[in-house]
């Protein structure tokens, strides 16, 4: 007998805090139903830059539009976050740029240009959100690190984003500061 699919949230890198990459709660995909005529890409959605962070998924979320959606969260190297309905091709439920004053950046902020960091063909031309965010489902909060260049200075900020609206949570963002003793470049 067929089992009712269980929507499995993907709230952090590789499914859960074990980071094993194994979805041990899968109930819908089987070798019998993974065939070219019944399985494959449903649609694609446009975003503003490359995506290196793993997309995250929250099933059955009541969003700011008052509707319940299965939501796909996408973070880009342009310091943007998108919340898409995972079941319907269309415009995002919400989209925020972490390059604006409402998200802690100064006027004219950009993602860090790859050329400012080091020659690399692995990432670029922008370095904004590279690491996979993490979602706390108890508070509907996504934690994400953005990287910006503002008036010649570089910033990394930890943001706490409300996943139903895209708004910053109270006390967010927080600038990440670090120091390392030494005599080398940047010391």
């Amino acid at each position: 007998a067929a089992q009712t699919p269980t929507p499995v949230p993907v709230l952090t890198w590789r499914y859960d805090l074990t980071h094993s990459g194994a979805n041990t709660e899968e109930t819908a995909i089987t070798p019998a139903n993974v065939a070219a005529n019944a399985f494959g890409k449903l649609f694609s959605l446009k975003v503003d830059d490359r995506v290196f962070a793993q997309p995250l998924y929250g099933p059955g979320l009541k969003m700011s539009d008052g509707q319940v959606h299965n939501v796909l969260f996408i973070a880009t190297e342009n310091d943007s976050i998108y919340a898409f309905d995972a079941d319907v091709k269309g415009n995002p439920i919400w989209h925020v740029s972490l390059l604006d004053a409402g998200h802690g950046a100064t006027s004219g902020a950009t993602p860090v240009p790859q050329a400012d960091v080091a020659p690399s063909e692995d990432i670029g031309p922008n370095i904004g959100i590279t690491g996979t965010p993490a979602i706390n489902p108890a508070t509907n909060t996504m934690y994400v690190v953005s990287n910006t260049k503002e008036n010649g200075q570089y910033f990394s900020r930890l943001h706490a984003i409300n996943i139903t609206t895209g708004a910053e949570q109270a006390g967010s963002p927080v600038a990440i500061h670090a120091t390392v003793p030494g005599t080398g470049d940047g010391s």
Side-chain angles (χ1 to χ4, degrees), residues 41-146:
K41 180 170 86 172
L42 299 176
F43 50 82
S44 60
L45 301 162
K46 290 190 183 251
V47 295
D48 63 7
D49 206 337
R50 292 181 176 187
V51 176
F52 284 91
Q54 177 181 328
L56 301 177
Y57 173 73
L61 296 174
K62 186 170 184 181
M63 301 299 283
S64 56
D65 64 0
Q67 303 295 314
V68 175
H69 299 270
N70 295 322
V71 183
L72 182 66
F73 297 98
I74 307 290
T76 75
E77 292 298 326
N78 196 47
D79 284 316
S80 287
I81 305 170
Y82 294 82
F84 287 105
D85 186 308
D87 301 315
V88 180
K89 182 177 181 175
N91 293 325
I93 300 166
W94 57 256
H95 164 239
V96 295
S97 171
L98 303 183
L99 298 172
D100 62 24
H103 291 89
T106 60
S107 178
T110 66
V112 175
Q114 176 271 328
D116 287 10
V117 179
S120 171
E121 294 183 20
D122 293 332
I123 190 169
N126 296 316
I127 301 172
I129 301 171
T130 303
T132 299
I135 295 174
N136 179 341
T139 62
N140 284 337
T141 303
M142 173 188 292
Y143 296 95
V144 60
V145 174
S146 68

Side-chain angles (χ1 to χ4, degrees), residues 39 71 76 156 179:
F39 185 83
V71 183
T76 75
S156 291
T179 60

